[in-house]
Protein backbone atom coordinates (compact mmCIF):
# COMPACT_ATOMS: atom_id res chain seq x y z
CA UNK A 1 0.00 0.00 0.00
CA UNK A 2 1.22 3.48 -0.79
CA UNK A 3 2.50 5.65 2.01
CA UNK A 4 1.68 9.31 2.42
CA UNK A 5 4.08 11.46 0.42
CA UNK A 6 5.43 8.49 -1.54
CA UNK A 7 6.66 9.25 -5.04
CA UNK A 8 5.85 6.81 -7.80
CA UNK A 9 8.23 6.10 -10.66
CA UNK A 10 6.78 6.35 -14.13
CA UNK A 11 8.28 4.85 -17.23
CA UNK A 12 7.81 5.98 -20.79
CA UNK A 13 5.85 3.94 -23.30
CA UNK A 14 9.09 3.30 -25.20
CA UNK A 15 10.74 1.80 -22.12
CA UNK A 16 7.75 -0.45 -21.48
CA UNK A 17 7.64 -1.65 -25.10
CA UNK A 18 11.39 -2.23 -25.14
CA UNK A 19 11.11 -4.29 -21.94
CA UNK A 20 8.34 -6.40 -23.46
CA UNK A 21 10.34 -6.96 -26.65
CA UNK A 22 13.37 -8.02 -24.64
CA UNK A 23 11.22 -10.41 -22.57
CA UNK A 24 9.78 -11.93 -25.75
CA UNK A 25 13.35 -12.51 -26.97
CA UNK A 26 13.94 -14.66 -23.89
CA UNK A 27 15.69 -12.37 -21.43
CA UNK A 28 14.80 -12.65 -17.76
CA UNK A 29 12.87 -9.90 -15.99
CA UNK A 30 15.79 -9.25 -13.62
CA UNK A 31 18.23 -8.72 -16.54
CA UNK A 32 15.77 -6.42 -18.30
CA UNK A 33 15.28 -4.37 -15.12
CA UNK A 34 19.05 -4.00 -14.69
CA UNK A 35 19.64 -2.94 -18.31
CA UNK A 36 16.75 -0.46 -18.53
CA UNK A 37 17.06 0.93 -15.01
CA UNK A 38 13.71 -0.36 -13.80
CA UNK A 39 13.65 -0.48 -10.00
CA UNK A 40 11.25 -3.40 -9.64
CA UNK A 41 11.67 -6.49 -11.84
CA UNK A 42 8.08 -7.52 -11.05
CA UNK A 43 6.96 -4.44 -12.97
CA UNK A 44 8.20 -6.05 -16.21
CA UNK A 45 6.04 -9.11 -15.49
CA UNK A 46 3.00 -6.89 -14.88
CA UNK A 47 3.57 -5.05 -18.18
CA UNK A 48 3.96 -8.35 -19.99
CA UNK A 49 0.73 -9.75 -18.50
CA UNK A 50 -1.25 -6.57 -19.29
CA UNK A 51 0.05 -6.46 -22.84
CA UNK A 52 -0.97 -10.09 -23.43
CA UNK A 53 -4.43 -9.56 -21.94
CA UNK A 54 -5.44 -6.20 -23.38
CA UNK A 55 -2.87 -5.06 -25.91
CA UNK A 56 -0.22 -2.38 -25.78
CA UNK A 57 -2.69 0.52 -25.39
CA UNK A 58 -3.19 -0.48 -21.76
CA UNK A 59 0.45 0.36 -21.02
CA UNK A 60 -0.17 4.09 -21.32
CA UNK A 61 -0.20 5.94 -18.01
CA UNK A 62 -3.80 6.70 -17.09
CA UNK A 63 -3.37 8.01 -13.57
CA UNK A 64 -4.62 11.48 -12.69
CA UNK A 65 -6.43 13.95 -14.90
CA UNK A 66 -5.33 14.27 -18.49
CA UNK A 67 -4.54 17.78 -19.64
CA UNK A 68 -5.62 16.86 -23.14
CA UNK A 69 -7.47 13.86 -24.43
CA UNK A 70 -5.08 11.20 -25.70
CA UNK A 71 -7.30 9.51 -28.26
CA UNK A 72 -8.99 12.42 -30.05
CA UNK A 73 -10.72 10.30 -32.72
CA UNK A 74 -12.53 8.24 -30.11
CA UNK A 75 -13.50 11.44 -28.25
CA UNK A 76 -14.92 12.99 -31.44
CA UNK A 77 -16.87 9.83 -32.24
CA UNK A 78 -18.32 9.82 -28.72
CA UNK A 79 -19.42 13.45 -29.07
CA UNK A 80 -20.98 12.73 -32.48
CA UNK A 81 -22.89 9.81 -31.00
CA UNK A 82 -24.14 12.00 -28.13
CA UNK A 83 -25.30 14.63 -30.63
CA UNK A 84 -27.17 12.00 -32.67
CA UNK A 85 -28.91 10.69 -29.55
CA UNK A 86 -29.88 14.21 -28.48
CA UNK A 87 -31.26 14.98 -31.96
CA UNK A 88 -33.39 11.83 -31.88
CA UNK A 89 -34.64 12.68 -28.38
CA UNK A 90 -35.54 16.20 -29.51
CA UNK A 91 -37.44 14.88 -32.53
CA UNK A 92 -39.38 12.40 -30.37
CA UNK A 93 -40.21 15.09 -27.82
CA UNK A 94 -41.40 17.48 -30.52
CA UNK A 95 -43.58 14.75 -32.04
CA UNK A 96 -45.13 13.97 -28.65
CA UNK A 97 -45.89 17.63 -27.94
CA UNK A 98 -47.35 18.08 -31.42
CA UNK A 99 -49.50 14.97 -31.04
CA UNK A 100 -50.80 16.15 -27.65
CA UNK A 101 -51.72 19.56 -29.05
CA UNK A 102 -53.47 17.98 -32.07
CA UNK A 103 -55.37 15.58 -29.81
CA UNK A 104 -56.51 18.40 -27.53
CA UNK A 105 -57.71 20.42 -30.54
CA UNK A 106 -59.61 17.44 -31.93
CA UNK A 107 -61.28 16.74 -28.61
CA UNK A 108 -62.36 20.37 -28.18
CA UNK A 109 -63.70 20.45 -31.78
CA UNK A 110 -65.62 17.22 -31.31
CA UNK A 111 -67.26 18.52 -28.13
CA UNK A 112 -68.47 21.82 -29.58
CA UNK A 113 -70.75 20.31 -32.30
CA UNK A 114 -72.26 17.98 -29.72
CA UNK A 115 -72.77 20.86 -27.37
CA UNK A 116 -74.51 22.94 -30.03
CA UNK A 117 -76.74 19.98 -30.98
CA UNK A 118 -77.68 19.42 -27.36
CA UNK A 119 -78.45 23.09 -26.87
CA UNK A 120 -80.67 23.15 -30.00
CA UNK A 121 -82.62 20.06 -28.97
CA UNK A 122 -83.04 21.42 -25.45
CA UNK A 123 -84.36 24.72 -26.80
CA UNK A 124 -86.73 22.89 -29.19
CA UNK A 125 -88.13 20.85 -26.33
CA UNK A 126 -88.64 23.95 -24.24
CA UNK A 127 -90.49 25.55 -27.16
CA UNK A 128 -92.63 22.46 -27.63
CA UNK A 129 -93.57 22.40 -23.98
CA UNK A 130 -94.58 26.04 -23.89
Amino acid sequence: MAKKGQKFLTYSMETKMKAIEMRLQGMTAVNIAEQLGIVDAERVKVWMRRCKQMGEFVLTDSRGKLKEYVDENRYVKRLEMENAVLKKWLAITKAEVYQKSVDSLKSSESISPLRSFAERTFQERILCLS
Side-chain angles (χ1 to χ4, degrees), residues 11-25 32 36 38 47-48 51 55-60:
Y11 299 96
S12 68
M13 184 71 169
E14 292 82 25
T15 303
K16 294 176 186 179
M17 292 307 296
K18 189 171 183 179
I20 290 172
E21 288 174 17
M22 293 169 77
R23 184 71 180 115
L24 290 174
Q25 291 173 358
I32 295 169
L36 297 178
I38 300 169
W47 294 338
M48 191 70 188
C51 189
E56 55 188 55
F57 181 73
V58 80
L59 296 176
T60 58

Side-chain angles (χ1 to χ4, degrees), residues 80-99:
E80 288 173 349
M81 183 183 68
E82 286 178 9
N83 284 341
V85 168
L86 289 173
K87 285 178 183 179
K88 286 180 183 179
W89 177 80
L90 183 62
I92 291 169
T93 306
K94 281 183 177 180
E96 287 177 356
V97 169
Y98 176 76
Q99 188 63 38

Side-chain angles (χ1 to χ4, degrees), residues 27-39:
M27 291 183 68
T28 64
V30 176
N31 289 342
I32 295 169
E34 288 174 1
Q35 284 186 2
L36 297 178
I38 300 169
V39 177

